[in-house]
Amino acid sequence: MQSLWMIVAGFFFAGMGVCVKLSAEAGYSLAEIVFYRSLLMLLIMLALVCWWKVPLATPHWQRHIKRGVTGFCSLSTFFYAISLLPLATAVTLNYTSPVFLMLMLIFFRGVRFNLGVMFALGLGFLGVIFLLHPSFEEKFLFGVMVALTSAVLTAMVYFDVSDLGQRGEPAVRTVFYFSLIATLLGLVWVAFSRFNPLTLHGFFALAGTGGFATLGQLAMTRAYSRGKTLLNASLTYTTVIFATLFGVVLWGEHIGWMEFLGMALVIVAGVFANCFLSERK
C-alpha cells in the first residue's frame, strides 16, 4: 500500500505543471519561474538539513556541481516546454527520460543490448511518432524539441544521482546542493532578464510551483523508501494521466485517439525501461 504514495506524487507533479503554465500566462519569465521554484526548494531543504543535522562537507563537490548544472538545465527546458505545448504532451515527452537513460547505460556502462531493451526503445520511439502525427501543428514542433531535450537532460540527472548514491552521498545533501546551485544560476539569469513585481495571483502560481514540486518529492521519496520499486516505477506515469485531465479541464485541450495511443506507448515503454533499469541495480 505504501506504493500508493506514488499516485499522490503524480498528482502533485501534475499540479506543479499547472502552476508553471499559470505563472507563464501571468507574464512571469522562465527565469523567474525557475528561480522562485528553486529558492523555495532551497529553503525547505535548508530546514531539513538543519533539522536532521546532515553534514554538508563532501569530497564529491565537482560531481554535485555537474548534477546541479544539469538539473538546472533539465528543469528550465521542462518548464519552457510546458509553456509552449499542451500540458499533457509536454509531460509525456519529458517522461521518455527512462528510455534515454537506458541508452546512456548501453553506451557508457556497457549494458547489454537485448530484446527487452529493443522492445522498450521501439515502443518509446513509436509513442513519440503517434504524439507527433501528421496533423500535429507545426507551431508546436519547437516545443517538442525542447521537451525531448528536457527528457535527455533528465536522464543525465538520473545518471548523476545514481553515481552520487553509489558513492555514499545522502539524498538530502544531493538535493540541497542541487537546490543551491539552481537558485544561484536562476538568480544570475533573473539579473540579466526582465523582472516582474509579484502580484497576488502571481505569488500563488509561483509558490504553487515550488510547493507542489516539494510535496511531490516527499511523496515520491516515501513511496520508494517503503514501497515496491517496480510498482513505483509504473505508478510514476500517473502524472501523465493527471496532467491530461488538468489540461482538458483548465485549458480545454483536445486529446485525440492518436495522442492517447502515443501516451500509452510512451508509458508502457517507460515501465519496461524502468523494469530493465531496476534489474541492473
Side-chain angles (χ1 to χ4, degrees):
M1 293 297 290
Q2 292 295 334
S3 291
L4 293 179
W5 277 102
M6 188 55 72
I7 298 178
V8 178
F11 175 82
F12 286 141
F13 285 136
M16 180 195 71
V18 169
C19 290
V20 169
K21 210 167 183 67
L22 290 175
S23 299
E25 290 177 353
Y28 291 97
S29 66
L30 178 62
E32 291 172 304
I33 298 172
V34 172
F35 169 69
Y36 283 117
R37 187 268 192 198
S38 302
L39 178 61
L40 180 58
M41 178 71 81
L42 175 62
L43 294 176
I44 293 172
M45 294 311 301
L46 182 60
L48 290 177
V49 165
C50 294
W51 181 264
W52 291 333
K53 295 181 173 58
V54 178
L56 295 178
T58 173
H60 308 298
W61 59 270
Q62 290 178 315
R63 296 180 183 277
H64 279 291
I65 292 175
K66 180 177 178 291
R67 182 265 186 269
V69 173
T70 305
F72 174 79
C73 294
S74 170
L75 186 68
S76 301
T77 50
F78 180 44
F79 283 6
Y80 189 29
I82 289 175
S83 70
L84 296 172
L85 296 170
L87 182 61
T89 303
V91 171
T92 303
L93 290 173
N94 180 260
Y95 271 73
T96 58
S97 55
V99 176
F100 288 114
L101 177 58
M102 190 163 55
L103 284 172
M104 289 179 188
L105 290 174
I106 291 171
F107 288 109
F108 296 112
R109 290 190 180 173
V111 173
R112 201 165 50 177
F113 199 96
N114 54 36
L115 288 177
V117 172
M118 292 177 62
F119 180 71
L121 291 175
L123 276 185
F125 180 69
L126 189 61
V128 172
I129 290 177
F130 274 105
L131 276 173
L132 309 181
H133 56 83
S135 63
F136 196 84
E137 295 182 46
E138 188 175 345
K139 67 179 181 179
F140 289 139
L141 291 181
F142 176 69
V144 168
M145 298 306 297
V146 174
L148 289 175
T149 300
S150 77
V152 174
L153 290 168
T154 300
M156 292 173 64
V157 169
Y158 292 156
F159 196 85
D160 290 337
V161 169
S162 173
D163 182 62
L164 284 167
Q166 290 175 5
R167 294 173 184 274
E169 287 292 271
V172 174
R173 184 189 296 157
T174 299
V175 177
F176 170 81
Y177 278 120
F178 161 62
S179 303
L180 176 61
I181 292 169
T183 301
L184 293 176
L185 291 175
L187 182 61
V188 173
W189 193 5
V190 167
F192 287 93
S193 63
R194 61 185 175 87
F195 189 81
N196 296 291
L198 278 177
T199 62
L200 185 63
H201 172 72
F203 171 79
F204 282 112
L206 291 167
T209 300
F212 278 123
T214 304
L215 291 172
Q217 288 286 341
L218 292 173
M220 182 178 67
T221 301
R222 184 179 180 90
Y224 272 107
S225 63
R226 302 186 182 184
K228 297 180 179 179
T229 301
L230 292 181
L231 180 58
N232 289 333
S234 302
L235 293 177
T236 298
Y237 289 89
T238 56
T239 302
V240 175
I241 298 173
F242 287 123
T244 302
L245 294 175
F246 284 141
V248 170
V249 173
L250 297 177
W251 288 281
E253 295 173 356
H254 174 70
I255 307 295
W257 70 268
M258 291 189 75
E259 287 90 345
F260 271 119
L261 181 57
M263 289 178 186
L265 290 173
V266 168
I267 289 172
V268 173
V271 171
F272 268 90
N274 277 310
C275 291
F276 170 79
L277 295 172
S278 296
E279 290 174 359
R280 296 300 305 170
K281 292 180 180 179

